[in-house]
Amino acid sequence: MSTPMVSAVTQRWVLALGAIASLMAALDTLVVATALGTIRENLGASVQTLEWTVNGYNLSFAVLLMTAAVVGDRFGRRRMFAVGLAIFVAASAACAMSTTVAALIAARVVQGVGAALIMTLALALVSAVFPPQRRGMAMGILQGITGLAVACGPLVGGAVSEGLSWQWIFWLNVPIGLIAIPLVLNRIPETYGPDSTADVGGLALLTGGAFGVVWGLVRGNAAGWASAEILVALVGGVVLIVAFTVWEARGPEPMIPMRLFASRGFAAGNTAIFLLFAGLFGSVFFYAQFLQIVFGYGPLGAGLRLLPWTLTLFFCAPVAGVVADRIGERPLMAGGLAMQAGGMFWIARIAEPAMAYGSLVIPLVISGIGVSMALPSAQTAVVGAVEHAMLGKAAGANSMMRELGGVFGIAVVVAVFTGAGGYGSAAEFVGGFGPAIAVGAGLSLFGAAVALALPGRRSAVAAAASPEVVAPV
């Protein structure tokens, strides 16, 4: 069945409000990234606990994305989108009021729950109201507006952290969310997907598996890679992830229907976006700290100097979405990931305590253009590879792979960093930074190779197995 017909005005409202949700999540991620140094100093956080202020959010976000899709399909995507915004706003206030690292991490985990609802359902709502021939354009605009948050995030985070305090970076979400919630309830039509039940067994297996792998990577250097703690965590995590795939293949109401992976677009697109975000989040975690520790800039100065990297998403992503509609996703996805890898390898190679900032500008721009090309292309490939009735689960799977990729990437690069360097001096930091960014570049390059498996041109969306229900506002 084709995409339900809605007015152009409604499409614009859905796209705008979906972009607000994406803006909040993107702003929060990069605002935190710029403030990591300040948080580390004020709360006495180690690099491992600092990592959990990012990964606590990303992990809860990732493992609940598919459950969020099921909840939205059953109870209404608009309704649960609004609930997610409310949770995100409340948790943001809790982050702002945290006085210990433990309290901050706990609030970030709850914030990830809200983010899982708003991000999954924003993508599903936009996908549901735009027809296939215009979906790439819509995804490009969505990512372009999100790019505004990416561009402003380091700058805003630096200005707020330096001018006020790091706690205020979380208060920024509160007015945005409070304005968005009533608009969502009044301007977006309610949509439902196939009626299904939450896959509790699959959720438990995936959560346990992801947590085990990340815990092992985070604790490996401190506990010893051959220690019982690390071996149990890593092996147990992998076993649980394998068990998850078996469970999903046999379950009556799977979180991720394994048959979707028969599509090259779905399988390659999700794998490539996992690796894209592994490299991206690894660099996000360290770039601002590099500028502050090695160059001596404050949070605001670091944010300003990241603009050559972050501004590219705002300008390039909408163009990439339109181009993907015309030539297919494969060249943009593979080329974009290769550019991200090239820029990161360049930075890893030239990083040294005495370097000049100007030498970073060109590789930052190259990396940013690469992300801008790859991101909307991967999303369009995934949602364009499934029937309309499966858009919710496809969108959830896509978002889950993004966030799990980010969690994995941060865990890997921090493990490399702590094994080779530290925070004792600029030279010690660079000693860990270079190898960590090089590993992130390698993950991106692997993603470029995977992207070559995408279909040459985006296939037409298959007929839906069951009709999409659109309820009146």
Side-chain angles (χ1 to χ4, degrees):
M1 182 175 178
S2 60
T3 302
M5 296 298 296
V6 297
S7 70
V9 172
T10 298
Q11 288 178 342
R12 287 194 289 270
W13 271 110
V14 172
L15 181 57
L17 291 169
I20 287 173
S22 300
L23 183 147
M24 289 175 66
L27 182 65
D28 196 74
T29 299
L30 288 192
V31 163
V32 171
T34 312
L36 286 174
T38 304
I39 293 172
R40 178 174 61 85
E41 294 174 0
N42 289 354
L43 297 183
S46 65
V47 66
Q48 288 82 13
T49 55
L50 197 67
E51 177 181 353
W52 281 110
T53 66
V54 179
N55 270 353
Y57 169 83
N58 289 334
L59 192 57
S60 65
F61 187 178
V63 299
L64 289 173
L65 283 166
M66 294 307 301
T67 299
V70 172
V71 169
D73 286 348
R74 169 171 285 195
F75 298 107
R77 293 166 181 162
R78 176 190 64 182
R79 182 180 297 113
M80 298 313 300
F81 182 57
V83 169
L85 282 167
I87 294 172
F88 192 86
V89 167
S92 295
C95 289
M97 293 185 288
S98 298
T99 56
T100 65
V101 175
L104 177 59
I105 292 172
R108 290 281 285 166
V109 170
V110 177
Q111 199 180 29
V113 176
L117 286 165
I118 63 176
M119 291 297 288
T120 299
L121 299 178
L123 186 57
L125 286 165
V126 170
S127 298
V129 300
F130 282 89
Q133 63 272 21
R134 298 187 62 223
R135 196 172 291 139
M137 176 273 297
M139 294 294 182
I141 292 175
L142 182 66
Q143 292 306 319
I145 296 175
T146 303
L148 180 62
V150 174
C152 295
L155 184 59
V156 171
V160 172
S161 297
E162 196 168 313
L164 296 170
S165 68
W166 66 264
Q167 289 89 345
W168 281 92
I169 64 177
F170 294 106
W171 288 119
L172 295 173
N173 294 322
V174 176
I176 298 174
L178 291 178
I179 292 171
I181 290 170
L183 290 173
V184 166
L185 294 173
N186 286 281
R187 298 292 181 175
I188 294 180
E190 188 61 283
T191 64
Y192 299 86
D195 191 12
S196 57
T197 58
D199 183 6
V200 177
L203 175 62
L205 290 170
L206 180 61
T207 302
F211 183 80
V213 171
V214 172
W215 182 269
L217 291 171
V218 170
R219 290 276 300 152
N221 286 297
W225 290 99
S227 67
E229 175 191 348
I230 302 308
L231 292 176
V232 169
L234 292 175
V235 174
V238 171
V239 168
L240 288 175
I241 291 172
V242 172
F244 168 76
T245 62
V246 174
W247 176 279
E248 295 298 286
R250 296 180 178 178
E253 293 286 350
M255 182 186 302
I256 305 176
M258 290 293 108
R259 63 182 176 82
L260 294 180
F261 286 93
S263 164
R264 279 198 300 150
F266 185 87
N270 274 314
T271 304
I273 207 166
F274 176 93
L275 294 165
L276 168 68
F277 272 76
L280 176 62
F281 273 50
S283 57
V284 165
F285 188 84
F286 278 118
Y287 279 175
Q289 295 186 77
F290 178 75
L291 290 170
Q292 292 175 64
I293 292 172
V294 175
F295 290 93
Y297 299 126
L300 177 58
L304 284 168
R305 287 165 179 84
L306 284 175
L307 287 178
W309 179 44
T310 56
L311 274 175
T312 54
L313 186 60
F314 178 66
F315 291 108
C316 299
V319 177
V322 174
V323 174
D325 286 336
R326 297 178 179 175
I327 68 172
E329 293 83 14
R330 183 170 65 189
L332 292 173
M333 188 72 196
L337 272 158
M339 289 181 68
Q340 175 175 267
M344 292 177 69
F345 273 128
W346 189 341
I347 291 172
R349 182 175 177 81
I350 65 175
E352 59 181 29
M355 70 184 299
Y357 165 74
S359 59
L360 292 174
V361 173
I362 294 177
L364 284 174
V365 171
I366 290 173
S367 293
I369 293 174
V371 174
S372 303
M373 291 168 57
L375 187 52
S377 304
Q379 292 174 331
T380 306
V382 169
V383 298
V386 303
E387 63 268 25
H388 190 76
M390 297 301 295
L391 279 177
K393 288 195 172 184
N398 180 253
S399 296
M400 182 183 72
M401 294 298 286
R402 284 183 353 196
E403 298 309 314
L404 285 177
V407 169
F408 176 78
I410 290 174
V412 168
V413 300
V414 169
V416 173
F417 173 85
T418 54
Y423 288 97
S425 65
E428 186 180 357
F429 184 88
V430 170
F433 174 82
I437 297 302
V439 168
L443 293 171
S444 301
L445 189 60
F446 183 32
V450 171
L452 294 175
L454 286 168
R457 292 181 181 275
R458 182 159 56 89
S459 302
V461 177
S466 59
E468 181 85 358
V469 180
V470 181
V473 179

